[in-house]
Amino acid sequence: MPQETDEFERKSLNFLDQILTIVREDGTSFTDQEISDNLYTMMSAAHETSALTVSYTCLLLAMHPKIQDKVIAEMNEVFYDSTVEITLDTLKQLEYTERVIKEVLRLLPAVPIGARQTNSELLLDGVQIPKNQILAFNCYNLHRRTDFWGPDPERFDPDRFLPEASQGRHPYAYVPFSAGLRNCIGMRYAMNSMRIMLLRILQEFEIGTDLKQADLRFKFEITLKLVGPHSVWLKRREKL
């Protein structure tokens, strides 16, 4: 007889399961305090950064109604009625929406400054860096370098992330989730959750604002914060 499958069986471990079951090389597991610290870090970091990015996406879409129209057109094409489920496959079809989010993260990275500690001596651009030094990098400015992004880096243009436009671009020219071995472990989760949030907002509301992109001012905390009101208005969309 064929083996029965359990529809509730988990195909992969979630984050909590992983930190509860992981075993270090010395055979020890995480302590209760370490588990608690990791959970608080994951929850606070993931929720604030994703919420900030969605709010900035709504703000920039409000400033660029033609791009907003293209996003909602794509969403309505994929999710054409209530019977279409939100799955990884249907979310992947929101390709233009993903490019919009990426362009928002280029202009307004939720974490504008990152840092790394050197674990060995290294030579960086002709400068000898000793071991155990803290190096900070400003991705807010990096994402505006004209040698990577062209002569108009302040312009909001999701098509910068078309495959043909991205070809040949330096892999570390764009680091809203950091990069390399220490990149953000929640990157895929964040992108999918933001697509879902935007889907729910934009299918119900048209977004507008009187703010202008050139007038926006920000302050660098752990996350990027807008100085002044986050002023947008919502208008209920008419259903066809």
Side-chain angles (χ1 to χ4, degrees):
M1 296 179 62
Q3 185 176 359
E4 293 185 4
T5 58
D6 183 354
E7 63 177 308
F8 299 106
E9 180 184 0
R10 290 178 178 169
K11 300 299 186 290
S12 61
L13 297 178
N14 63 32
F15 179 72
L16 177 57
D17 289 332
Q18 291 182 54
I19 61 175
L20 286 173
T21 58
I22 195 170
V23 177
R24 298 187 179 95
E25 292 182 357
D26 62 2
T28 61
S29 302
F30 284 147
T31 65
D32 288 348
Q33 185 62 52
E34 288 173 324
I35 292 171
S36 175
D37 290 345
N38 275 284
L39 281 175
Y40 277 118
T41 298
M42 175 60 72
M43 296 300 291
S44 60
H47 281 270
E48 183 182 6
T49 52
S50 295
L52 271 175
T53 302
V54 169
S55 67
Y56 290 147
T57 303
C58 290
L59 183 58
L60 287 174
L61 287 177
M63 294 175 180
H64 300 85
K66 290 183 179 179
I67 295 178
Q68 183 180 165
D69 289 343
K70 290 181 68 174
V71 171
I72 191 63
E74 178 183 68
M75 289 177 171
N76 288 339
E77 182 179 354
V78 176
F79 297 93
Y80 49 84
D81 65 34
S82 59
T83 64
V84 181
E85 295 183 5
I86 296 177
T87 66
L88 289 178
D89 288 334
T90 51
L91 287 175
K92 286 178 182 177
Q93 296 176 49
L94 300 179
E95 296 178 358
Y96 186 72
T97 304
E98 180 175 334
R99 295 204 299 273
V100 166
I101 296 172
K102 286 182 175 180
E103 177 69 345
V104 171
L105 285 167
R106 182 186 72 83
L107 287 169
L108 306 175
V111 181
I113 296 177
R116 292 289 183 270
Q117 182 173 359
T118 57
N119 57 14
S120 62
E121 189 176 278
L122 62 90
L123 185 67
L124 180 63
D125 198 22
V127 178
Q128 198 73 28
I129 308 294
K131 182 180 179 180
N132 295 327
Q133 301 301 302
I134 302 296
L135 303 181
F137 55 93
N138 185 331
C139 62
Y140 183 93
N141 286 338
L142 172 65
H143 292 172
R144 286 165 166 75
R145 280 181 50 163
T146 56
D147 52 341
F148 294 141
W149 303 102
D152 55 350
E154 292 289 346
R155 182 168 58 89
F156 181 57
D157 180 10
D159 286 344
R160 296 179 196 273
F161 291 94
L162 283 167
E164 57 269 27
S166 302
Q167 189 173 9
R169 185 178 294 147
H170 194 288
Y172 293 140
Y174 178 71
V175 288
F177 294 100
S178 189
L181 295 176
R182 298 290 293 175
N183 71 332
C184 175
I185 63 174
M187 177 172 61
R188 292 181 182 176
Y189 171 78
M191 290 299 294
N192 284 329
S193 66
M194 289 188 288
R195 275 184 280 202
I196 293 171
M197 284 188 276
L198 289 170
L199 174 68
R200 294 308 191 203
I201 294 170
L202 292 172
Q203 283 195 316
E204 294 296 328
F205 299 101
E206 177 186 348
I207 307 174
T209 185
D210 293 325
L211 296 175
K212 304 297 181 184
Q213 187 176 337
D215 297 331
L216 298 181
R217 297 294 180 268
F218 298 92
K219 56 184 177 180
F220 286 16
E221 297 180 350
I222 294 177
T223 52
L224 186 71
K225 298 295 176 61
L226 179 65
V227 176
H230 194 111
S231 180
V232 298
W233 49 258
L234 302 177
K235 178 182 178 182
R236 181 76 66 177
R237 291 189 184 275
E238 295 183 7
K239 300 296 182 179
L240 298 178

